[in-house]
Amino acid sequence: MAGKAVKSVVKAVGEYQYPWQEKLAKYRTELSKGVWGYWELGAWKPLGISARCRARLRKEVLLAGADWPYDPERKEMKTKRKGHKVDRLAAEKRERTAELMETMPQMLADYRKRRWERKMKAEEDAAKKAL
């Protein structure tokens, strides 16, 4: 008989020790404002709940199997490049040079054409001045 009473008291104390549903209902508006705080009328305001209490509440909610929608969105992880920057730049420069060398004959033809046109125009202008 005493064992049942102790178990019920322990169960009641264990359930009421951290009543996360009540705390979640109490701090719902505060938690929705942000993780660390929020700007209000140009001034930074910290949350009304401490980070430790927020973390404890989050842990209790997640352990109970409920959803915790108040976490910030995770940013995409940066991929750190290995090696030296100078090696990477040299490789990119070689690729760019190879691409340009493929178009080089056309570029030279265009250059020669522009130079010839400029020469012809200069000759025409000189001929008009001479007249």
Side-chain angles (χ1 to χ4, degrees), residues 83-94:
H84 298 281
K85 181 178 178 182
V86 68
D87 297 335
R88 186 179 71 247
L89 291 178
E92 290 173 2
K93 193 171 182 180
R94 281 192 298 272

Side-chain angles (χ1 to χ4, degrees), residues 97-110 112:
T97 304
E99 291 172 8
L100 288 174
M101 289 305 285
E102 290 175 4
T103 61
M104 187 60 74
Q106 182 62 39
M107 290 170 67
L108 285 173
D110 293 342
R112 289 184 182 128

Side-chain angles (χ1 to χ4, degrees), residues 29-47:
T29 57
E30 201 68 19
L31 289 168
S32 64
K33 292 178 182 175
V35 179
W36 300 280
Y38 57 97
W39 288 98
E40 182 176 303
L41 300 174
W44 177 258
K45 294 215 172 188
L47 290 181

Side-chain angles (χ1 to χ4, degrees), residues 9-62:
V9 168
V10 168
K11 185 177 179 186
V13 169
E15 287 177 359
Y16 193 73
Q17 192 172 7
Y18 298 110
W20 63 267
Q21 288 98 347
E22 295 170 11
K23 288 183 181 180
L24 189 62
K26 180 180 177 183
Y27 293 114
R28 186 175 305 274
T29 57
E30 201 68 19
L31 289 168
S32 64
K33 292 178 182 175
V35 179
W36 300 280
Y38 57 97
W39 288 98
E40 182 176 303
L41 300 174
W44 177 258
K45 294 215 172 188
L47 290 181
I49 182 173
S50 71
R52 182 182 291 176
C53 292
R54 181 186 182 281
R56 180 184 290 158
L57 181 59
R58 178 182 182 273
K59 181 179 175 183
E60 292 167 6
V61 169
L62 293 176

